[in-house]
Amino acid sequence: MSTHLIAFFTLREALRRRVVLAAALLTLGYLVLYGVGVWFGYRDLQNTPGGPPGLTEGVVSLMLVGGLWSLNFIASVLAVFLSVGALSGELDQGTLHAIAARPVRRSEIVLGKFVGFTLMLAVFIGVSASLMILIVAVITGEVVGASWSGPFLMLLASMLLIGLALAGSSRLSPLPNGVIVFTLYSTALIGGVIEQIGDVLESAVMFNIGVFSSVLIPTRAIWDMASAQLATGGFAGELSAGPFGASNPPSGWMLLIAGLHLALALGFAVRSFSRRDF
Amino acid sequence: MSDPIAIGLAGVSKRYASTLAVDDVTLSVAHGEIFGFLGPNGAGKSTIVKMILGLTYPTAGQIEVLGQPAGSLAARAEVGYLPETFRFHDWLTASELLHFHARLARVDASLRADRVRELLELVGLKDRADDRLSTFSKGMMQRVGLAQSLVGAPRLVILDEPTSALDPIGRRDVRDRIRELGEQGVTVFLNSHLLSEVEQVCDRVAIIDHGAIVAEGKLDELLSAQEIEIRAGEGAEAAVREAVGESSVRSIDGRLRVRVADDGEIAMLVRRIVEAEVPLYDVRHVGDSLEDLFVRVAERGDV
């Protein structure tokens, strides 16, 4: 069993190659900017007299969900960039030949890489989301979004993208694979917007297009579930509808669809990579 | 191991879309043998190497490695491989690369550190053990690649062009390593363009062209046929060609190169030239090198 060796190797490569360092530094810069924004935003909010009860908590919650939406986006981009050339790119470079000639199953190479990238994203999302929740709590005194399920759902969305990118990378070179994965990812984003508009306009066709896009690639739907978990307070539901979340988050079925999606993608990646000639 | 065969290919073919890269190859390499595998570029050498390792799948035929199906984990556990590209993850240090491969090859944890140290010393990279591979020259990469192929104490080593980036001294070192492996009873499958190298270390060779084996055997047997060079007047070529057949004669700068089976044939040729009343200036024995054999095979597709 060499899956853990490949996973550890994958993790070490990303750390050594400073992919993670670059992402961490940029995210740190983003968090600083975000903190400044929250500080001014919160000050203005307090200087605004009146408003219904629970407004402050709702607005703070929205600021957090918006911030986490950006983190989720960075995590998605990172997931795709890390894994889009993980198999075919290495085959083209010739770095995988000596490893694949060892007593290692092809499935162990695929799953090892998946585990490695997932661990990396877990650390990235865990640390950056915690910092963001902490920043909001320190500045506003409101502890919002302190739930485990939010970051876990964000990680699941990234895992879906890693699985998809690995499946593509078992056959396609990095560039076409990247184009396809990003196109699917964008389809889900746009599909989510169409679904919301359809909901407002009570257009069944638009609504169904959105649902279909979520079944095709559930990244956006999983985020909607995450944002629903993260948003708290009286106005959170209404306020977080719009760019950062859905007014009625998907049901638990979406988790099942996401699980199936991931299993299918990884199954395809393993099968297709195992049959490939080097 | 009762099975005397280290590598056995039976009727192996590989088709890529419309091209037949490997055509019905049957080949066997005995345990402890140093086997040279030769052929022009694009002949199918690397495809065969990759099929032996289970990196590429044959479209027909069977391959057995150390008594196991090619590509099975049991077979791979005892095989060392230096890829033709010798490209490794260059963010690793030399020592890290070997440690990683030692773990993949299931080398016992207590043996790893010593094994890595010994191998780095063997290939002359002891002082660069902790340097990143990204700072290595091509020759150094090839040497660390050789160490990598030996890290699992394999019973079979497959070297794909192991000296292509080395200077003459590095090449001699690698030849010495190959001979040492042979003395230790390790089977070596050497894929090389460098004929002199194959000539110097290999017990047996096979020559492949257009995906098919065109010559195979012990080197001295393959090279036992002699070649002579004849310098004679006009008309000699026709007489010689008539005497020994078209395929045994080449004309080089006005001289005739003729493959002969024995001394009697040389005497016969001299007689024919004299009988044809053509002046005969010189008959020289030029022997035969693997290079001649190789060129002949590549040009005509036969020996």
Side-chain angles (χ1 to χ4, degrees):
Chain A
M1 289 295 109
S2 307
T3 308
H4 68 286
L5 288 179
I6 303 289
F8 183 62
F9 188 80
T10 305
L11 202 57
R12 208 158 54 136
E13 173 165 27
L15 292 175
R16 191 75 69 86
R17 290 212 138 153
R18 307 198 176 138
V19 180
V20 170
L21 185 72
L25 283 177
L26 286 173
T27 307
L28 207 65
Y30 170 71
L31 284 173
V32 170
L33 261 176
Y34 176 77
V36 172
V38 170
W39 192 78
F40 280 109
Y42 186 66
R43 200 187 56 178
D44 288 351
L45 188 66
Q46 282 185 315
N47 293 341
T48 311
L55 177 69
T56 306
E57 197 192 348
V59 172
V60 168
S61 175
L62 177 64
M63 289 196 286
L64 180 71
V65 171
L68 288 173
W69 186 90
S70 313
L71 280 186
N72 189 57
F73 182 75
I74 297 171
S76 301
V77 171
L78 198 57
V80 174
F81 269 111
L82 283 170
S83 50
V84 82
L87 302 173
S88 59
E90 282 217 43
L91 265 187
D92 293 346
Q93 286 168 20
T95 48
L96 217 47
H97 288 72
I99 292 171
R102 294 287 174 199
V104 178
R105 289 186 185 85
R106 299 264 180 102
S107 59
E108 291 172 338
I109 294 177
V110 175
L111 295 177
K113 284 185 179 280
F114 176 75
V115 172
F117 294 138
T118 298
L119 285 174
M120 210 174 311
L121 264 301
V123 171
F124 174 79
I125 292 171
V127 171
S128 58
S130 303
L131 281 174
M132 189 165 269
I133 291 167
L134 194 70
I135 287 170
V136 172
V138 166
I139 292 174
T140 67
E142 306 265 0
V143 182
V144 288
S147 89
W148 283 105
S149 48
F152 265 116
L153 287 166
M154 288 166 69
L155 180 61
L156 178 60
S158 289
M159 287 164 75
L160 286 173
L161 289 169
I162 295 170
L164 205 61
L166 284 176
S169 185
S170 68
R171 292 280 160 177
L172 300 169
S173 12
L175 191 61
N177 189 27
V179 169
I180 289 174
V181 175
F182 268 117
T183 305
L184 280 172
Y185 179 70
S186 312
T187 304
L189 277 185
I190 300 301
V193 174
I194 292 174
E195 183 181 323
Q196 281 184 11
I197 297 171
D199 196 24
V200 173
L201 298 179
E202 293 179 0
S203 157
V205 175
M206 288 177 83
F207 187 79
N208 287 336
I209 287 174
V211 171
F212 177 74
S213 76
S214 293
V215 173
L216 191 69
I217 171 165
T219 44
R220 155 86 191 198
I222 294 298
W223 163 256
D224 289 346
M225 291 179 80
S227 76
Q229 296 292 322
L230 292 161
T232 49
F235 287 82
E238 289 78 359
L239 283 172
S240 64
F244 307 133
S247 40
N248 26 359
S251 69
W253 283 103
M254 197 42 84
L255 280 183
L256 189 72
I257 290 171
L260 269 174
H261 202 277
L262 189 57
L264 272 175
L266 286 178
F268 178 86
V270 165
R271 195 179 144 95
S272 147
F273 190 62
S274 297
R275 293 177 172 197
R276 181 172 175 165
D277 284 331
F278 273 38
Chain B
M1 200 77 198
S2 54
D3 186 2
I5 301 295
I7 304 174
L9 282 80
V12 172
S13 296
K14 176 67 186 177
R15 180 177 284 282
Y16 292 106
S18 62
T19 47
L20 192 59
V22 175
D23 184 8
D24 194 23
V25 165
T26 295
L27 184 73
S28 67
V29 178
H31 275 295
E33 199 167 48
I34 300 180
F35 190 86
F37 199 48
L38 294 162
N41 283 331
K45 288 187 312 254
S46 282
T47 304
I48 288 182
V49 163
K50 285 190 234 168
M51 287 194 290
I52 291 170
L53 289 157
L55 294 178
T56 292
Y57 304 107
T59 34
Q62 262 96 47
I63 308 177
E64 230 179 59
V65 175
L66 301 169
Q68 311 279 345
S72 63
L73 296 188
R76 285 191 196 161
E78 302 196 86
V79 177
Y81 169 48
L82 170 63
E84 187 182 9
T85 52
F86 56 89
R87 297 271 291 272
F88 304 102
H89 293 90
D90 60 7
W91 49 272
L92 292 167
T93 68
S95 167
E96 284 169 343
L97 175 79
L98 296 193
H99 270 283
F100 178 56
H101 276 274
R103 295 186 73 168
L104 287 175
R106 303 169 181 175
V107 175
D108 199 76
S110 60
L111 300 174
R112 271 182 231 140
D114 287 340
R115 180 81 53 82
V116 168
R117 198 166 341 102
E118 282 164 22
L119 283 172
L120 284 173
E121 197 165 346
L122 187 78
V123 297
L125 289 172
K126 198 176 72 172
D127 299 336
R128 304 292 304 264
D130 297 320
D131 290 348
R132 292 232 185 147
L133 298 181
S134 53
T135 66
F136 278 24
S137 69
K138 274 187 164 181
M140 289 161 75
M141 279 296 249
Q142 201 154 34
R143 281 189 281 156
V144 82
L146 182 67
Q148 171 275 134
S149 72
L150 301 177
V151 81
R155 289 171 57 216
L156 166 65
V157 182
I158 297 176
L159 305 174
D160 203 347
E161 304 285 353
T163 61
S164 57
L166 297 179
D167 56 26
I169 294 172
R171 283 185 184 164
R172 196 190 57 203
D173 287 348
V174 169
R175 282 201 299 272
D176 291 346
R177 298 291 89 77
I178 292 174
R179 285 198 194 97
E180 281 167 23
L181 288 169
E183 283 159 18
Q184 292 160 17
V186 174
T187 310
V188 181
F189 189 95
L190 176 63
N191 199 357
S192 181
H193 285 97
L194 298 169
L195 303 164
S196 62
E197 188 167 279
V198 170
E199 207 164 6
Q200 286 179 57
V201 297
C202 291
D203 302 320
R204 225 154 53 86
V205 300
I207 301 179
I208 181 173
D209 191 33
H210 293 102
I213 304 282
V214 287
E216 186 195 348
K218 285 204 186 323
L219 256 182
D220 45 1
E221 285 169 6
L222 283 178
L223 301 180
S224 66
Q226 321 173 45
E227 197 165 52
I228 55 169
E229 190 175 89
I230 298 172
R231 198 156 62 84
E234 198 104 350
E237 186 169 346
V240 170
R241 284 191 190 276
E242 194 194 313
V244 294
E246 291 287 329
S247 65
S248 302
V249 186
R250 284 184 293 160
S251 178
I252 300 173
D253 301 333
R255 295 156 192 229
L256 296 173
R257 285 279 184 106
V258 188
R259 286 175 54 69
V260 291
D262 49 35
D263 288 349
E265 212 167 35
I266 300 176
M268 183 269 287
L269 280 176
V270 171
R271 203 165 51 239
R272 290 288 180 88
I273 293 169
V274 173
E275 282 169 6
E277 295 183 348
V278 173
L280 175 64
Y281 308 122
D282 189 19
V283 177
R284 248 171 3 111
H285 188 247
V286 288
D288 199 2
S289 68
L290 189 54
E291 187 168 346
D292 296 324
L293 182 70
F294 184 80
V295 169
R296 217 160 45 235
V297 161
E299 279 176 351
R300 299 200 192 131
D302 67 357
V303 182

